Amino acid sequence: MINLEDIDAELTSLFETITAEELQTHLDSRGYKIEVVDLAIEREKQEKQAQPTLFEANEVKVRSGLERDLPDVWQSCSAQLWALHFDDGVNASLVTPAHTYKEMLMAKLYHPHDSVSAGSFWQMQSLCLGLAEEKLGEILVPHLTSESLAAANSSEVALAA
Amino acid sequence: MTGIPPSPVLQGYHGTDKANAAPISLGNFHVGSAPEWLGIGAYFFVEGISCDDPPDDAKNWALFWAKGRYTRWSVMTAKISAAKLLDLTDRATLKLFNKYRKACRRRFGAKVPAGYLQGRSGLDILVLETMIKSGKIDAAKGDFYTQFNQETHQIPSRLPNATLLCVYRPELAIDLASIKEHSTGLIT
């Protein structure tokens, strides 16, 4: 085991003299895929790129979350609930199960501190359903009607808040 | 002095796909290509702060990260002799490490490897790699918050829950004869 105090002077000198190029060469030899960049240039480049929407930014996260959690979510949400929710979204009696479903999905896919807007959540849900159908091949996913979407939007404020 | 007695040999536990057990036994551990907590190297759970035994941590790691890629897990164990072990579980060592980290940040300013901008260990890795480059260390040990099961994956936390050892050149620090399969099983 090394004692840093014994070589402190040497290391202090090293950190004061090593160049980015020297470190870069070493990192390359160790297998790191890293390039020396200028932060200002990099920042400018990033600003020029379009900012991804929350939906886009979270798509990978949702996909990986589904890989991990979908069987569990699926067991907890009956096929009847999925079908009912989308077939008859205007029926007030379905608001409660829809909320249950949404909260369950939210709990599975997001950390508590994540901030997700209501609109983005519904985009996420559509993605989830599509992926579920693709993955399990046994889920009927009717198209959202304008009525069901309106009903969903009216009930999602509380969730988002 | 750091007040920590020398630990020339550490027993490490590595959770992996069962298919890797034979190649590891025959050809030693390989370093990965992705920089993790302490940089590119072979990682082991070792005795430390975890409330579970290191083999259990390694098993949980293998189970959680299988994610459908393999169906049988193995925990491989080995005796690790790292003469130049950087023990970041020691407070005096960690304090000096913080000094070097500050110096490293100051040194490179706005011109740093892009990796620094990615991931949470970027600057730590630059410090460690500078030490590796100068031949000062051949392994590093530290306490980290490690996501090795469903529970820890969902709980946001930064306080460490496991002690990890990273060996930068396994072929120099690990005797092939000491490598054994500690346990194995099916992923259900």
Side-chain angles (χ1 to χ4, degrees):
Chain A
M1 188 180 303
I2 63 161
N3 183 345
L4 284 189
E5 289 178 356
D6 294 343
I7 55 173
D8 180 39
E10 200 178 341
L11 283 174
T12 300
S13 170
L14 181 64
F15 283 107
E16 285 171 357
T17 55
I18 189 169
T19 66
E21 289 72 24
E22 287 172 335
L23 189 52
Q24 170 72 20
T25 302
H26 169 73
L27 293 170
D28 286 345
S29 73
R30 291 260 300 137
Y32 286 88
K33 305 284 187 270
I34 295 175
E35 295 175 359
V36 175
V37 296
D38 186 304
L39 277 184
I41 295 173
E42 189 67 18
R43 198 175 296 119
E44 190 180 341
K45 202 187 300 175
Q46 287 174 357
E47 283 170 359
K48 283 180 182 172
Q49 292 172 346
Q51 291 295 314
T53 64
L54 183 65
F55 173 63
E56 289 169 339
N58 281 286
E59 184 171 357
V60 171
K61 191 175 177 182
V62 171
R63 282 178 180 274
S64 62
L66 279 172
E67 286 294 317
R68 190 179 64 240
D69 293 324
L70 186 58
D72 189 24
V73 172
W74 175 240
Q75 283 169 11
S76 305
C77 304
S78 69
Q80 188 183 15
L81 172 60
W82 290 67
L84 279 173
H85 179 185
F86 285 90
D87 275 341
D88 194 3
V90 292
N91 186 332
S93 67
L94 298 175
V95 171
T96 300
H99 264 297
T100 304
Y101 163 73
K102 284 194 292 189
E103 284 165 3
M104 194 177 298
L105 200 61
M106 289 288 278
K108 287 289 179 189
L109 297 179
Y110 298 103
H111 284 296
H113 57 268
D114 277 345
S115 169
V116 180
S117 72
S120 292
F121 177 73
W122 282 97
Q123 283 186 302
M124 295 282 186
Q125 183 168 267
S126 297
L127 171 68
C128 291
L129 289 169
L131 289 174
E133 185 175 45
E134 177 186 304
K135 187 176 176 64
L136 300 180
E138 62 185 53
I139 302 173
L140 177 64
V141 186
H143 291 293
L144 277 171
T145 64
S146 56
E147 290 83 1
S148 63
L149 192 57
N153 284 335
S154 68
S155 66
E156 68 197 11
V157 177
L159 177 73
Chain B
M1 293 295 292
T2 61
I4 299 291
S7 301
V9 179
L10 292 172
Q11 193 75 38
Y13 298 87
H14 178 92
T16 186
D17 179 357
K18 167 75 176 172
N20 294 331
I24 288 172
S25 297
L26 293 171
N28 216 324
F29 292 88
H30 291 275
V31 300
S33 57
E36 303 284 354
W37 308 268
L38 295 163
I40 290 178
Y43 280 84
F44 300 86
F45 288 98
V46 293
E47 198 66 45
I49 60 164
S50 175
C51 57
D52 294 320
D53 289 333
D56 289 335
D57 285 342
K59 176 187 170 183
N60 287 333
W61 175 270
L63 287 172
F64 180 56
W65 292 100
K67 294 187 181 295
R69 289 176 297 180
Y70 50 88
T71 55
R72 292 187 68 90
W73 58 270
S74 280
V75 170
M76 304 299 293
T77 186
K79 291 188 186 305
I80 299 154
S81 305
K84 298 176 183 175
L85 171 66
L86 180 70
D87 186 358
L88 293 167
T89 65
D90 172 47
R91 290 176 69 86
T93 301
L94 198 52
K95 190 168 182 178
L96 280 172
F97 186 89
N98 283 334
K99 185 179 94 167
Y100 305 141
R101 186 164 51 188
K102 196 171 177 182
C104 199
R105 182 72 184 92
R106 205 168 44 230
R107 176 75 187 149
F108 296 114
K111 193 180 182 186
V112 297
Y116 164 69
L117 302 172
Q118 303 161 5
R120 289 172 56 187
S121 302
L123 187 56
D124 299 341
I125 289 171
L126 292 191
V127 176
L128 290 164
E129 288 296 339
T130 301
M131 292 184 181
I132 295 168
K133 179 181 182 301
S134 64
K136 299 300 181 193
I137 63 173
D138 55 16
K141 185 172 82 160
D143 295 331
F144 294 93
Y145 186 77
T146 312
Q147 297 178 336
F148 46 53
N149 59 37
Q150 190 62 39
E151 185 188 10
T152 53
H153 189 70
Q154 290 180 335
I155 296 174
S157 177
R158 288 185 174 180
L159 291 174
N161 61 354
T163 304
L164 296 173
L165 172 70
C166 180
V167 180
Y168 298 116
R169 295 191 60 186
E171 71 276 15
L172 301 180
I174 301 171
D175 181 3
L176 266 182
S178 78
I179 299 176
K180 305 216 173 342
E181 186 177 57
H182 173 274
S183 50
T184 184
L186 266 175
I187 294 174
T188 55

